[in-house]
Amino acid sequence: MIKPLQTWFATWRDAEPAQRPRCILLTGEGKAFCAGGDVVTARTSALSGPGGREHADFFYEEYRLNALIGEMAQPGPNGVDQVSVWDGVTMGGGVGLSIHGRYRVATEKTVFAMPEGGIGFLPDVGATFALPRLPVGPEVGLYIALTGARLGAADCLWAGIATHAMRAEKLPELREALVRSASTGTSVQAVLDALPSWDGPSPSSSSLAANAADLRRIFKLNQPSISSICTALRETKTPWAEQTLALLDARSPTSLALTLRAFQLNARPHVTLFDALVAEYRVVQCLVRDTRSDFFEGVRAVLVDKDNKPRWNDRVPSADQIDAYFASPLPDDHLGGDLRPLPTKTRASL
């Protein structure tokens, strides 16, 4: 799926302005928008030894596509309005395909999450860039990333993860309105703003909104460690705090430490989406190259044996070791080295 999307997006990016689409409508098939990448294959590839490539190639190409989508969403004459419809499960790789575009439409079927900590991974696909920049504050994004909490349309609207919402039965009307707008000159923004009023649960009644004060107090990015977050949750003594603590307790301790550090680094104002993807790719390749990492155990427990009883490494890397995951460029002999953007093609070749 990634390779055709790369080809289409790159072709549209590099086309003459008159040939560039004004809107890209990205939808899922069946019960999901996109539930993520095939990490089982990545694990199998890494375990196969030097002959395997999928554990590098998959993430390498996925992140280049994420960067391209973000590039095309930038304001200006070369920008393209991407409308992603989250009609169903939207997790992991599906978040990367959509969150960097301009518009995200949730429905009553939306289930949004970044659950990577549950398989010994970290929220990737540029999530450590996008989630710290939510309009409701970086603390909300950190909570979503650390806990893997599953969010519905109301939560997504309140947090600004989704830009719009509508009933799934009305989605054909959205497609028709976007097609009509090409001839009427109506902007994509105007089409989306004219959607029927969302009649589902109110964003103000969402779980995130209900616990916003505690969430913002506890999940600050300047926390020295995950243990300080857990201590604050224990002291809060509310049902939400207990549930949140249980979610964190089920995650890989190393994944939690990597996620917190990724947010601290990638939330800085000068960091670009591509910078964040380079850092994420370095971390991911460290995880998939070390068969003793929690990634292998997490995928085994959740997706291979499905016993849901991962045995995480007890020893969490030190702060210096965590920083080394992000700072060390990958060697050139590592299946291509560091992440590089998709090249700009000459228009004559399109």
Side-chain angles (χ1 to χ4, degrees), residues 142-159:
L142 183 60
Y143 165 82
I144 293 168
L146 289 175
T147 63
R150 298 190 172 198
L151 309 178
D155 284 311
C156 290
L157 283 172
W158 180 83

Side-chain angles (χ1 to χ4, degrees), residues 60-71:
Y60 191 89
E61 300 301 345
E62 181 184 27
Y63 296 175
R64 298 211 298 176
L65 174 61
N66 301 148
L68 180 55
I69 290 172
E71 177 187 342

Side-chain angles (χ1 to χ4, degrees), residues 2-3 6 42 53-68 121 124-125 274 277-278 280-282 284-285 288 330-332 334-343:
I2 288 169
K3 294 299 288 185
Q6 274 189 0
R53 289 189 58 97
E54 289 90 345
H55 59 290
D57 289 347
F58 171 74
F59 297 109
Y60 191 89
E61 300 301 345
E62 181 184 27
Y63 296 175
R64 298 211 298 176
L65 174 61
N66 301 148
L68 180 55
F121 214 51
D124 59 338
V125 295
F274 192 77
L277 287 164
V278 169
E280 289 177 358
Y281 184 68
R282 291 176 179 177
V284 166
Q285 291 309 299
V288 301
L330 293 167
D332 289 337
H334 174 68
L335 303 178
D338 263 339
L339 189 70
R340 295 178 177 83
L342 278 168

Side-chain angles (χ1 to χ4, degrees), residues 34 37 42 86 93 122 139 144 148 171 187 210 215 224 257 311:
C34 176
W86 291 346
L122 87 161
E139 302 87 358
I144 293 168
L171 290 175
S187 69
L215 196 157
R311 296 180 291 274

Side-chain angles (χ1 to χ4, degrees), residues 22-23 25 81 83 103 105 163-166 170-197:
R22 63 191 300 272
C23 177
L25 179 61
D81 289 331
V83 180
Y103 304 108
V105 180
T163 59
H164 299 80
M166 66 185 303
K170 298 289 186 181
L171 290 175
E173 297 178 20
L174 170 61
R175 179 186 292 271
E176 293 170 5
L178 288 171
V179 171
R180 278 198 310 272
S181 70
S183 58
T184 62
T186 307
S187 69
V188 172
Q189 177 75 56
V191 170
L192 293 171
D193 288 346
L195 294 177
S197 299

Side-chain angles (χ1 to χ4, degrees), residues 263-338:
F263 266 65
Q264 293 170 340
L265 294 172
N266 293 338
R268 295 175 297 176
H270 68 276
V271 172
T272 67
L273 170 59
F274 192 77
D275 293 336
L277 287 164
V278 169
E280 289 177 358
Y281 184 68
R282 291 176 179 177
V283 174
V284 166
Q285 291 309 299
C286 287
L287 294 175
V288 301
R289 283 186 296 161
D290 181 2
T291 57
R292 299 165 300 174
S293 76
D294 281 346
F295 169 71
F296 291 86
E297 173 62 10
V299 175
R300 179 207 65 76
V302 176
L303 299 171
V304 179
D305 298 338
K306 299 182 180 180
D307 59 23
N308 291 307
K309 295 179 180 179
R311 296 180 291 274
W312 304 126
N313 288 314
D314 293 331
R315 184 176 177 276
V316 178
S318 67
D320 288 343
Q321 290 171 326
I322 289 290
D323 280 341
Y325 277 85
F326 298 90
S328 302
L330 293 167
D332 289 337
D333 62 356
H334 174 68
L335 303 178
D338 263 339

Side-chain angles (χ1 to χ4, degrees), residues 8 18 51 57 72 80-82 97-98 160 175 189 196 202 204 254 301 306 321 331 342 345:
W8 293 330
D57 289 347
M72 294 180 66
V80 178
D81 289 331
Q82 176 179 319
L97 293 175
S98 53
R175 179 186 292 271
Q189 177 75 56
S202 167
S204 61
T254 300
K306 299 182 180 180
Q321 290 171 326
L342 278 168
K345 300 178 181 177

